[in-house]
Amino acid sequence: MSPANMRPQKTAMLVAQRIVADINRRGNTVGDRLPPERVMLEEYNVGRGTLRESLRFLELQGVLALKPGPGGGPVVQRPDAGSLATALTLLLQFENAPFRTIAEARGGLEPMMARLAAERMTEAQLADLKSSVDTMRDQLSDQVVFLEENKRFHDVIARGSGNALFGYLVEALLGILDGSAIGIDYPEVRRRAVHKAHLRIYEAIASHDAEASFEAMTGHIGEYVRYAERKYPELLAAPIVWSNVQ
């Protein structure tokens, strides 16, 4: 696209970028309050409507929380993958993409993450991963705990890959393809199979065997897709829509 065809950025977006840059420059951390509105209006030389649009955008992105009332105002937050999941969901909805799209993406990405985790995961992260495997084993009769530990297990591996992008991607993808949300059930026999797969993956990562970790995760994701296709083919074929994503 030539410069002549590029649309200029809205003033509110430019101000939002400056606010984030100033947060970084000042070294603000979660819970810090930003300057009051009158100070920000003068500092950024914009009208009240533009400033509030900028702050609202940053609130939607999880960068700020806007506290009402006296002593309120913008407070620094830590963004999570929620905004990424929403953006991906909307992009995929307008492509009429099915939920199988997410399963296929996980099948391509998560084995790579497991391989990196075997090379990079810290002892603390390994302990967290083992805790997830053990908790799932001890609470197999509780599907709520199972689902929580299933998500935790994959999150820990993604973060343990040492690549921050993978951590956010897995969190977003799991947010879109939460089997319980789209109607996939996990009877106890299936939960036991998942636990065995998690144990194999953990043992490979704990042994720092990158290729075994890759293969174990490949088998695990492939097994999940085959189970879903066999039992719930209509769900994987269903188009992704924002209202179905939690």
Side-chain angles (χ1 to χ4, degrees), residues 37-85:
E37 183 177 78
R38 57 180 175 76
V39 174
M40 297 179 79
L41 288 172
E42 183 176 342
E43 182 175 359
Y44 299 118
N45 193 29
V46 293
R48 181 172 285 105
T50 298
L51 177 62
R52 290 181 176 176
E53 184 181 349
S54 303
L55 295 174
R56 177 60 177 156
F57 171 79
L58 293 176
E59 182 183 41
L60 291 172
Q61 301 304 311
V63 176
L64 301 174
L66 300 179
K67 304 292 186 181
V75 178
V76 176
Q77 302 292 298
R78 183 180 183 85
D80 58 27
S83 296
L84 177 59

Side-chain angles (χ1 to χ4, degrees), residues 30-203:
V30 174
D32 286 351
R33 295 186 182 278
L34 296 190
E37 183 177 78
R38 57 180 175 76
V39 174
M40 297 179 79
L41 288 172
E42 183 176 342
E43 182 175 359
Y44 299 118
N45 193 29
V46 293
R48 181 172 285 105
T50 298
L51 177 62
R52 290 181 176 176
E53 184 181 349
S54 303
L55 295 174
R56 177 60 177 156
F57 171 79
L58 293 176
E59 182 183 41
L60 291 172
Q61 301 304 311
V63 176
L64 301 174
L66 300 179
K67 304 292 186 181
V75 178
V76 176
Q77 302 292 298
R78 183 180 183 85
D80 58 27
S83 296
L84 177 59
T86 298
L88 287 174
T89 299
L90 290 171
L91 289 170
L92 293 170
Q93 178 170 342
F94 278 86
E95 289 287 340
N96 200 34
F99 278 100
R100 181 177 286 103
T101 305
I102 305 300
E104 290 175 353
R106 289 186 63 194
L109 290 169
E110 292 203 57
M112 186 192 316
M113 298 179 202
R115 173 188 281 153
L116 291 174
E119 299 169 346
R120 300 175 178 177
M121 190 171 275
T122 66
E123 291 302 316
Q125 288 169 328
L126 278 172
D128 196 13
L129 196 63
K130 185 175 189 302
S131 171
S132 176
V133 174
D134 291 347
T135 301
M136 180 180 282
R137 177 200 62 207
D138 295 340
Q139 303 288 333
L140 271 179
S141 61
D142 190 328
Q143 180 157 284
V144 172
V145 174
F146 167 82
L147 292 171
E148 290 172 350
E149 292 306 326
N150 186 51
K151 182 178 186 304
R152 176 185 167 198
F153 180 84
H154 289 276
D155 280 343
V156 172
I157 291 175
R159 301 288 177 186
S161 72
N163 186 308
L165 178 59
F166 284 157
Y168 288 114
L169 275 176
V170 162
E171 187 178 344
L173 293 179
L174 289 175
I176 298 171
L177 188 65
D178 176 351
S180 64
I182 66 173
I184 294 179
D185 188 35
Y186 294 90
E188 188 161 341
V189 64
R190 179 61 195 151
R191 284 177 248 157
R192 290 188 183 280
V194 170
H195 172 259
K196 288 180 181 179
H198 282 199
L199 181 59
R200 284 194 299 269
I201 295 166
Y202 163 73
E203 289 174 344

